[in-house]
């Protein structure tokens, strides 16, 4: 997964990553197209999504512990793909046997949409968010909002032929729904007991919209709590345990636990590493240890009612990843370790996966990365961020303002 919402990445970079996915025998590119800090896909009838929702006035770039406040860059950031560009991405990927899984994140992580169209929200001031973390602003549940959601999925499914479409569903604070008289009236009308189940109802609406188009909903693992429809594919991110739990409840699962696969973590404890959002390190060897089908689940496999693991997925969230070179630094060589993890048998017992053996081959593989011009993190020395500092300015992603 590439998060093009927190930082907008140019089409050329997306194509370059597709080449690398193909080289590493990975067959899905999940594009996280919308979030609180930016909306990146045009939707007919809703021009303000990209005119307003695609731009934020500045970005948090770190935290000043002496001043006890965020460091801000003071630079506008944003951008959106055109429909033709997204179609090009899909075609380029398809020619390399890669499906593009589009994601629009609802009903939380929707501040950019609400800033563009405040009527989608529950009142109060909303803007394209400049801070990271979880926003309290979420979509309301009015008919006009559901028509908006339908329009978004109509457009998304007309651009992306993928059999699967990601509807988000993570990190949805329920306070606005609890405090909104309109939402509460709707809840009572629907005969629903609480706000978690209201999210289940919302998930069922999205599931229905997608099923009408013969597509299958993928959603983050939080949707299990509110009772998502059983054909939802659960993308387990909070931990492997949430994936096991979902599978045991009968959901098909994509295993993508943050403790192994969130590439926004720093790669070592070296103080030269760039600023990251999560403080804990996720070294190469840890990614390598990822087991798509953990042991506890292997025993349950084949039992009636048990879901399946459809695959594993590694993620690059881009809160603190403002440039192409930085994105490559965070992704490689950890993506290589991920490919090894999903293609080789378990580490133990009787498996064929070995970190020392992988590490030896990685030295040769680095020649390929170099030939492709990938700014990977050095794994043969303790030097951390040197590679990135050597990136010539023209290779860095321009942080342009709105024209
Ligand atoms: C997520 O990291 N909130 C899916």
């Amino acid at each position: 997964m590439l998060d093009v919402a927190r930082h907008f990445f140019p089409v050329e970079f997306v194509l370059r990553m597709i080449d690398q996915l193909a080289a590493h025998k990975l067959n899905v590119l999940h594009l996280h197209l919308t979030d609180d800090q930016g909306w990146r896909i045009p939707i007919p009838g809703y021009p303000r999504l990209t005119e307003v929702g695609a731009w934020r006035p500045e970005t948090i770039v770190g935290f000043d512990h002496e001043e006890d406040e965020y460091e801000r860059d003071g630079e506008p950031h944003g951008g959106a793909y055109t429909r033709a560009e997204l179609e090009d991405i899909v075609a380029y990927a398809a020619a390399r046997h890669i499906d593009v899984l589009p994601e629009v994140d609802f009903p939380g992580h929707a501040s950019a949409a609400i800033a563009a169209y405040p009527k989608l929200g529950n009142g109060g001031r909303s803007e394209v968010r400049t801070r990271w973390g979880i926003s309290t602003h979420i979509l309301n549940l009015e008919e006009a909002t559901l028509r908006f959601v339908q329009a978004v999925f109509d457009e998304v499914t007309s651009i992306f032929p993928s059999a699967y479409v990601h509807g988000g569903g993570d990190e949805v604070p329920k306070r606005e729904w609890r405090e909104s008289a309109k939402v509460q009236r709707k809840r009572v009308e629907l005969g629903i007991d609480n706000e978690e189940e209201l999210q289940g109802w919302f998930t069922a609406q999205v599931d229905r919209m997608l099923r009408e188009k013969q597509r299958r909903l993928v959603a983050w693992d939080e949707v299990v709590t509110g009772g998502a429809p059983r054909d939802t594919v659960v993308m387990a991110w909070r931990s492997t345990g949430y994936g096991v739990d979902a599978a045991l409840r009968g959901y098909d699962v994509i295993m993508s636990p943050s403790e192994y696969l969130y590439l926004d973590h720093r790669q070592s404890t070296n103080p030269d590493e760039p600023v990251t959002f999560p403080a804990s390190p996720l070294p190469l060897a840890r990614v390598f240890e990822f087991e798509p089908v953990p042991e506890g689940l292997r025993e349950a496999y084949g039992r009636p009612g048990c879901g399946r693991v459809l695959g594993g997925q590694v993620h690059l969230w881009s809160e603190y990843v403002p440039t192409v070179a930085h994105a490559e630094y965070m992704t490689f060589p950890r993506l290589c370790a991920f490919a090894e993890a999903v293609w080789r048998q378990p580490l133990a017992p009787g498996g064929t996966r070995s970190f020392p053996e992988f590490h030896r081959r990685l030295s040769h593989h680095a020649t390929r990365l170099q030939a492709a011009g990938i700014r990977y993190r050095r794994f043969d020395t303790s030097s951390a961020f040197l590679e990135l500092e050597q990136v010539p300015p023209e290779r860095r992603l321009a942080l342009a303002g709105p024209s």
Side-chain angles (χ1 to χ4, degrees):
M1 186 217 66
L2 181 62
D3 172 10
V4 295
R6 269 54 173 273
H7 278 98
F8 181 63
F9 291 104
V11 173
E12 300 70 41
F13 175 65
V14 178
L15 303 187
R16 189 170 154 80
M17 291 300 257
I18 289 170
D19 283 336
Q20 285 303 315
L21 295 189
H24 289 84
K25 301 192 197 304
L26 302 174
N27 63 351
V28 177
L29 170 65
H30 168 181
L31 283 182
H32 183 75
L33 288 164
T34 71
D35 214 302
D36 295 312
Q37 297 84 4
W39 183 282
R40 311 287 176 222
I41 173 172
I43 304 295
Y46 296 91
R48 286 174 58 84
L49 287 172
T50 48
E51 287 165 10
V52 173
W55 293 95
R56 61 173 180 259
E58 62 177 0
T59 297
I60 300 278
V61 293
F63 191 80
D64 185 332
H65 288 276
E66 268 168 35
E67 299 290 327
D68 198 26
E69 63 182 23
Y70 288 111
E71 288 168 349
R72 300 156 190 281
D73 67 358
E75 302 261 346
H77 174 83
Y81 302 109
T82 64
R83 182 184 165 108
E85 285 173 335
L86 292 168
E87 287 171 341
D88 285 349
I89 289 171
V90 167
Y92 191 88
R96 287 153 185 81
H97 305 282
I98 291 170
D99 287 331
V100 182
L101 169 68
E103 180 189 356
V104 279
D105 201 346
F106 292 145
H109 286 277
S111 298
I114 297 169
Y117 293 99
K119 285 191 171 153
L120 298 172
N122 296 284
R125 221 164 69 94
S126 182
E127 53 205 358
V128 181
R129 199 170 153 89
T130 53
R131 279 181 304 137
W132 310 122
I134 303 173
S135 165
T136 55
H137 295 305
I138 67 175
L139 295 184
N140 65 38
L141 298 175
E142 288 163 35
E143 287 304 317
T145 300
L146 291 171
R147 282 197 298 277
F148 162 75
V149 171
Q150 176 82 57
V152 170
F153 285 112
D154 284 350
E155 184 66 4
V156 165
T157 51
S158 82
I159 296 173
F160 296 93
S162 165
Y164 300 87
V165 173
H166 202 309
D170 58 324
E171 299 177 320
V172 184
K174 304 292 187 310
R175 197 184 76 200
E176 287 190 344
W177 283 358
R178 270 197 302 277
E179 293 178 354
S180 156
K182 280 187 186 165
V183 172
Q184 289 302 319
R185 258 201 311 279
K186 176 117 190 174
R187 181 182 65 71
V188 172
E189 251 169 55
L190 293 167
I192 286 174
D193 286 342
N194 59 52
E195 288 72 31
E196 287 301 333
E197 287 173 28
L198 258 186
Q199 187 178 351
W201 175 84
F202 178 84
T203 308
Q205 304 312 300
V206 176
D207 177 67
R208 177 184 49 74
M209 291 174 197
L210 292 172
R211 258 186 301 119
E212 279 168 5
K213 296 174 188 299
Q214 288 77 49
R215 309 299 181 93
R216 207 163 156 201
L217 172 65
V218 180
W220 299 111
D221 61 53
E222 284 95 327
V223 298
V224 171
T225 309
R230 198 41 56 91
D231 63 340
T232 307
V233 176
V234 172
M235 189 171 272
W237 73 275
R238 285 180 293 175
S239 71
T240 304
Y242 282 101
V244 172
D245 175 67
L248 293 178
R249 288 169 191 253
Y251 291 100
D252 285 350
V253 168
I254 297 162
M255 282 290 188
S256 56
S258 52
E259 72 261 28
Y260 291 98
L261 300 178
Y262 265 34
L263 302 185
D264 54 339
H265 287 246
R266 66 193 59 202
Q267 307 194 51
S268 75
T269 52
N270 187 326
D272 289 344
E273 294 285 358
V275 175
T276 53
F277 195 20
S280 54
L282 179 68
L284 183 66
R286 174 89 172 150
V287 177
F288 184 85
E289 286 169 8
F290 169 62
E291 299 282 16
V293 185
E295 215 166 328
L297 196 53
R298 249 172 273 149
E299 286 148 22
Y301 249 39
R303 235 203 270 149
C306 182
R308 302 165 299 164
V309 175
L310 303 186
Q313 186 169 287
V314 70
H315 303 258
L316 183 63
W317 297 104
S318 65
E319 283 96 332
Y320 286 97
V321 182
T323 67
V324 164
H326 195 147
E328 292 177 2
Y329 176 87
M330 298 304 276
T331 305
F332 300 95
R334 290 187 293 186
L335 182 112
C336 313
F338 169 73
E340 192 79 4
V342 288
W343 277 102
R344 292 294 279 268
Q345 290 304 301
L347 286 168
T352 57
R353 215 190 307 161
S354 144
F355 189 71
E357 185 258 350
F358 164 71
H359 205 267
R360 273 196 301 281
R361 282 187 291 116
L362 193 57
S363 304
H364 300 288
H365 187 61
T367 318
R368 295 188 192 100
L369 296 178
Q370 267 160 23
I374 298 289
R375 309 299 166 124
Y376 63 91
R377 182 186 183 280
R378 294 276 294 277
F379 51 89
D380 50 351
T381 73
S382 62
S383 68
F385 210 37
L386 299 176
E387 298 289 318
L388 189 54
E389 279 159 10
Q390 287 161 10
V391 173
E394 68 275 10
R395 292 282 314 273
R396 293 184 179 226
L397 174 61
L399 294 173
S403 53

